[in-house]
Amino acid sequence: MKLKRLVATAGAALLTPLVLPADAHAAAVACGGGVSTQNIGARGCISAERWNDGRIYWRDITAHAQITNSRSHASWVEYEAYSQAGSGDWVKMGSGRTIVQRRSTVGPIAIATKTRVCDTVKVTIRVHVRPAGGAWSNWSSAATSQCQT
């Protein structure tokens, strides 16, 4: 019995790196609070990577969504991300659609990336979700004001 448990634990440990999202580096992603609608939950997340073109520092701001389905069946879920720099207008960054299996979480899913000059302006993204045939959730926000990863 102990051997079976040990083999199962070792197998799970070996498979864990294979199921992590390839497009989002967990250490560089910061998530905000959660919102939900019809047993589908969402968290807005943001990452910022700094780079230099030789003269100017830039940052690539990426909006992410982490989606949880607590329903007893899989659901198609739509998501959108908007960004705001400082006190400016909200601008749509991107949108998408994915299936979330029953009682599971997916993400962070990279929705869109926007490149900005590195400055001290706080950039906020907000994400909301909608299950197929349902209503949109409220907004879940995340922000960064630093020009670093």
Side-chain angles (χ1 to χ4, degrees), residues 9 12 17 28 37 51 80 93 95 99 112 116 120 125-126 136 141:
T9 304
T37 181
W51 56 279
E80 292 181 328
M93 289 181 71
S95 62
I99 191 162
R116 294 186 36 88
T120 57
I125 64 100
R126 62 183 186 176
W136 284 103
S141 297

Side-chain angles (χ1 to χ4, degrees), residues 71-87:
R71 294 175 165 190
S72 60
H73 57 279
S75 294
W76 279 102
V77 179
E78 295 179 59
Y79 48 85
E80 292 181 328
Y82 288 77
S83 68
Q84 179 187 42
S87 60

Side-chain angles (χ1 to χ4, degrees), residues 27-92:
V29 177
C31 295
V35 295
S36 67
T37 181
Q38 302 170 7
N39 294 331
I40 302 290
R43 294 178 68 196
C45 305
I46 192 170
S47 66
E49 299 223 15
R50 186 175 82 157
W51 56 279
N52 185 334
D53 71 354
R55 296 172 288 140
I56 300 173
Y57 279 96
W58 296 84
R59 62 179 167 172
D60 293 330
I61 309 280
T62 304
H64 304 271
Q66 186 173 18
I67 305 169
T68 301
N69 179 3
S70 58
R71 294 175 165 190
S72 60
H73 57 279
S75 294
W76 279 102
V77 179
E78 295 179 59
Y79 48 85
E80 292 181 328
Y82 288 77
S83 68
Q84 179 187 42
S87 60
D89 294 332
W90 287 100
V91 177
K92 186 172 183 176

Side-chain angles (χ1 to χ4, degrees), residues 3-14 16:
L3 183 59
K4 281 185 180 179
R5 205 174 319 147
L6 179 63
V7 169
T9 304
L14 289 173
T16 299

